[in-house]
Amino acid sequence: MKQFNLAKTDIGRPIDDIKDNFRFPSIIENIQQVIDSNEILEKEIQTTDLRWYQMNIIPYVKMRDNKTDGVIITFVEITMRIKNLKEQEKLIADHEILLDTISHDIKNPLSNLVIAIELFKNITPEDEQEFKSLLKIVDSSLTKMHLLISELTETRKTEHKYKAEIELLNFEHILEDVRLTLNDNISAIGVKIKSDIQVSEITYSRRKLRSVVYNLVNNAIKFRAPDRRPEILITTTRNDNFIVISVKDNGIGIDPTKQEAIFSKYYRLENEIEGSGIGLYLVKEIVNSTGGKILVQSTPNEGTEFRVFLKIDH
């Protein structure tokens, strides 16, 4: 009765005359289809008040001559079911991002650990200084992997209902965390990192923001030009309803024909450079999931700038 304005006086009137609230203009054609085919028709339809129903149109068959003499139409409200399905889809997407992020982030400390163990095999007991240096790398790598595994464990404890917690973050702290994580590479290569932070406070998920910045800075280091010192400029600005994070480098650049493909899952720009090809895909998925976007501007042999737009009211 909420969806049809019916009265006793409607009995005998054509169904076309009955006013209903369904956003479903082909109901008459569907009724005729069931009468002609003698088969049940099921559809999910929405009403003007944005509620969802499962509609079943069932043929009404006269037993004496086995002919369809009309239809019975039933409506079962499934608004909550649709809502739950959408929430489940979002949770599954968040899970995929989380697991991809962890598997991606764990590669760096794991690689450092493997290298350190190989170097351990070649040192002698007299090389005390080198022993301590390698031990420090091993300890740092194990600590980072332990933290990542702990986060995954906590996720499982919540019965797979992973939700990235939104909080007020200081961007300088996130950037410093990324610097420390990549410190071995930064020091070994002599990367010069400068920053111009005009917006410090960002309301976002700590893990997701860290992953975005980590992947962009890590890529800027990996795709450096061999003939010049790597320089990276990181800035934050405000643009309408967005906070814009820019990561600009002076690396090898990206060919214009590949600037869309780089965001595809497992796409690798240079085969000889180590990586899984998942970093930029993760960044795009994270940013898009909160109503933002990522843009790239690049000139081959000159450098690349990635601009991440984070929606302020997400």
Side-chain angles (χ1 to χ4, degrees), residues 195-209:
S195 60
D196 179 14
I197 310 302
Q198 296 181 31
V199 180
S200 291
E201 293 187 341
I202 298 178
T203 302
Y204 213 72
S205 155
R206 181 180 297 276
R207 160 154 284 282
K208 288 185 177 183
L209 183 58

Side-chain angles (χ1 to χ4, degrees), residues 133-149:
S133 177
L134 290 174
L135 193 61
K136 186 177 179 182
I137 293 172
V138 170
D139 183 59
S140 174
S141 299
L142 288 173
T143 300
K144 288 168 187 171
M145 286 193 290
H146 178 72
L147 287 172
L148 288 167
I149 292 167

Side-chain angles (χ1 to χ4, degrees), residues 49-61:
D49 59 356
L50 304 182
R51 305 189 75 79
W52 284 92
Y53 289 81
Q54 179 177 310
M55 178 184 73
N56 291 350
I57 304 180
I58 306 164
Y60 183 82
V61 182

Side-chain angles (χ1 to χ4, degrees), residues 51 67 103 139 169 185 281:
R51 305 189 75 79
K67 286 186 178 179
S103 63
D139 183 59
L169 304 171
N185 293 341
Y281 165 80

Side-chain angles (χ1 to χ4, degrees), residues 21 23 34 104 120 149 164 183 200 209 213 225 234 238 257:
N21 295 324
R23 303 164 115 183
V34 171
H104 181 267
F120 260 125
I149 292 167
N183 186 58
S200 291
L209 183 58
V213 178
I234 302 164
R238 190 179 295 272
T257 61

Side-chain angles (χ1 to χ4, degrees), residues 4 6 13-18 20 22 24-43 45 55-61 67-75:
F4 289 88
L6 295 173
R13 290 175 57 197
I15 196 169
D16 272 334
D17 292 349
I18 306 299
D20 65 72
F22 289 103
F24 185 56
S26 62
I27 189 168
I28 303 300
E29 288 86 346
N30 284 161
I31 290 171
Q32 190 61 53
Q33 176 187 338
V34 171
I35 291 173
D36 294 339
S37 68
N38 201 26
E39 294 179 353
I40 296 173
L41 179 69
E42 296 181 357
K43 278 194 175 181
I45 60 175
M55 178 184 73
N56 291 350
I57 304 180
I58 306 164
Y60 183 82
V61 182
K67 286 186 178 179
T68 302
D69 191 40
V71 295
I72 298 170
I73 308 177
T74 64
F75 297 93

